[in-house]
Amino acid sequence: MKALCLVFISIIFLNCTSLTIKDRPPSVYVLGSIHGGMLEEPNYTLQDFISVLYKYKPTLIFTEVRPEYSDAIDGVMHGAVEQSIVYAYAKESGAQVVPVDWHNDDYNLESDQDYQRAKAFKKELQPLRDQFIKSISSLVESQSPVTQNIIRKRYDILASHGLIALRKRDAHICENIKKQKDNLAKGPVLIVFGVAHKYYLEDCIRELGIQPLNFESWYGAEKAKNAMATKALAENSVKTLKAAKELLDVRLRAGYYKTDVTNLNDVLKELDKWIEKVSRLNP
């Protein structure tokens, strides 16, 4: 009888381990970044951000970079500066990077208009903003369902007043992600966007019949402390940051941009600080 049980258990084990990649349920996590806040926040630092990459070990990464561009430089200038780190990690690990962001001049104009119009509803939005600022002061809390609900409520209020620019952008990003549906089984998949996009992109993944992972189900803060940035990652990231700074400076001086100029000038000013901070990750 004991022998029969062992045979039965062995058959089950073999059947489970013989699953193909396509048969396995996709593993997807949406990482909400706080962008430049990582340079200042003591509990959500660049090292914390990097620890997620090394702990999760994604083999496929969807980035806050537009599909019409092939590397991180556009992401640094127009999406999120920390994409320089994401691409450096991918180069080091062999992970595939797929840009899925979306925005254009029309969106930039509408977004600026929404920002100005939202000031009329400051009293209504301020309590949620205060909760949001507090909730993103640590890596773990920034990823929590509580924080995502705060963000969702804020954008619900904006939408009730006809301010829907960001949701339009999120809808296009979701379309780009859905185009990659057949590749999701190649994971673990990591989606890296600003934390304001996280709740919407998690909803997008659910629409595909996939339950995005909960942060605390796989991330151990104590073990993650050992996930330090390598010298290669720091050097490759700095190289991208310097290239982005040079190109952005040239374009701004030449009048290349017709919209979003103020924001891009702010990005240019911040790049030196990023270069300095990233250089210190592995001196």
Side-chain angles (χ1 to χ4, degrees), residues 83-108:
Q83 296 299 335
S84 64
I85 293 172
V86 173
Y87 275 77
Y89 168 82
K91 183 175 182 179
E92 179 180 82
S93 67
Q96 179 186 1
V97 177
V98 178
V100 294
D101 196 8
W102 177 91
H103 54 89
N104 55 27
D105 285 345
D106 289 339
Y107 164 79
N108 291 336

Side-chain angles (χ1 to χ4, degrees), residues 152-165:
R152 187 189 299 273
K153 287 177 183 177
R154 181 174 185 272
Y155 285 106
D156 283 346
I157 291 172
L158 290 172
S160 72
H161 294 292
L163 310 182
I164 57 173

Side-chain angles (χ1 to χ4, degrees), residues 154-222:
R154 181 174 185 272
Y155 285 106
D156 283 346
I157 291 172
L158 290 172
S160 72
H161 294 292
L163 310 182
I164 57 173
L166 185 61
R167 281 193 171 165
K168 283 183 181 178
R169 179 180 170 193
D170 282 339
H172 283 284
I173 295 167
C174 182
E175 287 176 9
N176 287 337
I177 289 173
K178 287 180 176 179
K179 290 175 185 176
Q180 300 295 323
K181 181 180 179 179
D182 291 342
N183 293 322
L184 292 178
K186 295 178 181 179
V189 178
L190 185 67
I191 302 174
V192 187
F193 269 78
V195 70
H197 302 273
K198 180 176 166 69
Y199 84 89
Y200 193 103
L201 299 185
E202 287 183 333
D203 287 349
C204 177
I205 293 300
R206 292 187 186 100
E207 289 172 8
L208 292 171
I210 301 167
Q211 183 60 36
L213 294 176
N214 179 281
F215 188 62
E216 293 183 343
S217 70
W218 61 269
Y219 184 86
E222 288 303 313

Side-chain angles (χ1 to χ4, degrees), residues 73 77 238-248 271 275:
I73 294 175
M77 295 190 298
V238 168
K239 183 179 179 181
T240 297
L241 291 167
K242 288 181 176 178
K245 179 188 174 184
E246 182 179 352
L247 179 58
L248 185 55
L271 282 174
I275 291 167

